[in-house]
Amino acid sequence: MLLHQADSLLAAQLSVPAPFAVVYARFVPRPHSVPHQAIDRARRQLLAHTTLLGAFLTSVHIGHNSFIYVFAVTDIDATRDATQRLAQLQLDGLAADEPSYFTFDDLYPCSPACSLLSKPCPSCTNTTRGTLLPRKPLRETYSHFLEAIRIRLIDDIAQAASHSRPLRPVTRLKGGFLLGMPSPNNEWCSSWKYRVQSRPLLFCQLQVHLCQSRLIIHPLLHITTFLPLLYSLPVPPGTPITLLPHGTPAFFLTHYNGPTSALTKQFQESLQGLGVGSWSSTSKPSYIIAWINVENKQGEDKGIVLIYPTALCLSFTPSSIP
């Protein structure tokens, strides 16, 4: 069932140009650059406060072979101009593959043999598409395109929520976002504050589907076992926590009591576009010191000690801890 954008609780649709093309390029770190720094710098450089389908969209992979995809959705008649614009894009420390594009008709093959091709075979125009999976050469690209749409949507939702009144925190967790409880707006509500804060957070997973002329956004709601760490303090050292927005598992060590102004500025810059909303809206954000385990082949107990914003840390409800 497709609903209008005003009925976005169950589903929403975003119109795209019909017919449309998705122009893309993959950027990889140059030999003498620091891969994760060059990629994140490029991601932040391409952030733009334009409409969802009027900006460059990005999806990042950090690993043994790190890269960043850059996408642009355009009318199919403007594909050449969009490809040239992407080819002229200069990102410090990164080199680009040759820009390319796909349309909706390019995605799905008509047969197993056709699924190995990068473009539709001659039979595709006269044959019902015989598979629900995209053709193999486009699967990675298409997956990153949907992820780029999802990340931008979550960030837009978090930004809009940060200006709502009463304030209801929205913070990204992987492929969705957590809904915090609204702040009490009068003295009568304040007596219920503890009961509200002790409720597990609600998680909204966003499913994104591409159709001929629209994007369908399908939110799925789940109750979690998470609580904001801020509402659980004090907790003993070694308490398991989760770091937002990527859901990184960590362990609480202690509070951070050092200077915070430079820390806040660095986190504000590095977390741009990642859907963390208004985490630093208070006059002096608080921080914790945590430990992240690092896996190694020798099985040794190694890890990283880090400082992280308390507002972006989750604890678990008491009943969920064995």
Side-chain angles (χ1 to χ4, degrees), residues 49-73:
H49 299 288
T50 59
T51 59
L52 174 69
L53 300 178
F56 283 130
L57 303 168
T58 62
S59 178
V60 169
H61 170 75
I62 299 295
H64 181 65
N65 296 304
S66 300
F67 56 80
I68 178 172
Y69 269 102
V70 181
F71 298 95
V73 181

Side-chain angles (χ1 to χ4, degrees), residues 106-145:
D106 293 335
L107 283 173
Y108 297 99
C110 64
S111 66
C114 181
S115 70
L116 302 176
L117 305 176
S118 59
K119 292 291 183 181
C121 70
S123 300
C124 283
T125 56
N126 303 317
T127 307
T128 302
R129 303 302 169 95
T131 176
L132 297 177
L133 293 176
R135 58 184 68 252
K136 291 183 179 180
L138 285 178
R139 287 181 189 175
E140 178 189 279
T141 304
Y142 183 52
S143 174
H144 278 278
F145 171 67

Side-chain angles (χ1 to χ4, degrees), residues 32-237:
H32 300 295
S33 65
V34 181
H36 69 278
Q37 291 181 358
I39 287 174
D40 194 60
R41 187 166 54 244
R43 180 191 66 81
R44 287 184 278 120
Q45 177 184 331
L46 294 173
L47 290 175
H49 299 288
T50 59
T51 59
L52 174 69
L53 300 178
F56 283 130
L57 303 168
T58 62
S59 178
V60 169
H61 170 75
I62 299 295
H64 181 65
N65 296 304
S66 300
F67 56 80
I68 178 172
Y69 269 102
V70 181
F71 298 95
V73 181
T74 184
D75 185 287
I76 198 166
D77 293 332
T79 301
R80 185 173 181 178
D81 291 340
T83 302
Q84 290 177 346
R85 187 162 61 105
L86 198 52
Q88 294 168 358
L89 186 62
Q90 298 294 318
L91 298 175
D92 185 35
L94 300 179
D97 296 339
E98 186 72 22
S100 187
Y101 73 92
F102 65 84
T103 68
F104 182 79
D105 289 337
D106 293 335
L107 283 173
Y108 297 99
C110 64
S111 66
C114 181
S115 70
L116 302 176
L117 305 176
S118 59
K119 292 291 183 181
C121 70
S123 300
C124 283
T125 56
N126 303 317
T127 307
T128 302
R129 303 302 169 95
T131 176
L132 297 177
L133 293 176
R135 58 184 68 252
K136 291 183 179 180
L138 285 178
R139 287 181 189 175
E140 178 189 279
T141 304
Y142 183 52
S143 174
H144 278 278
F145 171 67
L146 295 182
E147 180 67 3
I149 292 286
R150 185 182 296 110
I151 292 170
R152 175 58 192 266
L153 279 172
I154 294 171
D155 189 60
D156 285 352
I157 293 169
Q159 291 295 331
S162 67
H163 300 293
S164 65
R165 294 294 179 270
L167 179 65
R168 181 165 191 171
V170 169
T171 311
R172 178 185 164 201
L173 172 60
K174 298 183 178 181
F177 56 87
L178 293 166
L179 281 168
M181 292 297 176
S183 304
N185 55 6
N186 56 56
E187 292 184 3
W188 186 87
C189 294
S190 62
S191 61
W192 293 85
K193 185 176 180 179
Y194 172 76
R195 296 194 64 180
V196 170
Q197 292 177 346
S198 61
R199 291 180 178 177
L201 294 171
L202 192 65
F203 176 67
C204 180
Q205 179 184 359
L206 285 188
Q207 292 187 347
V208 181
H209 308 278
L210 180 64
C211 299
Q212 286 275 9
S213 60
R214 59 186 177 269
L215 284 161
I216 300 175
I217 315 302
H218 183 200
L220 299 174
L221 299 178
H222 310 273
I223 294 291
T224 71
T225 57
F226 292 127
L227 291 172
L229 178 62
L230 189 63
Y231 299 158
S232 304
L233 295 173
V235 295

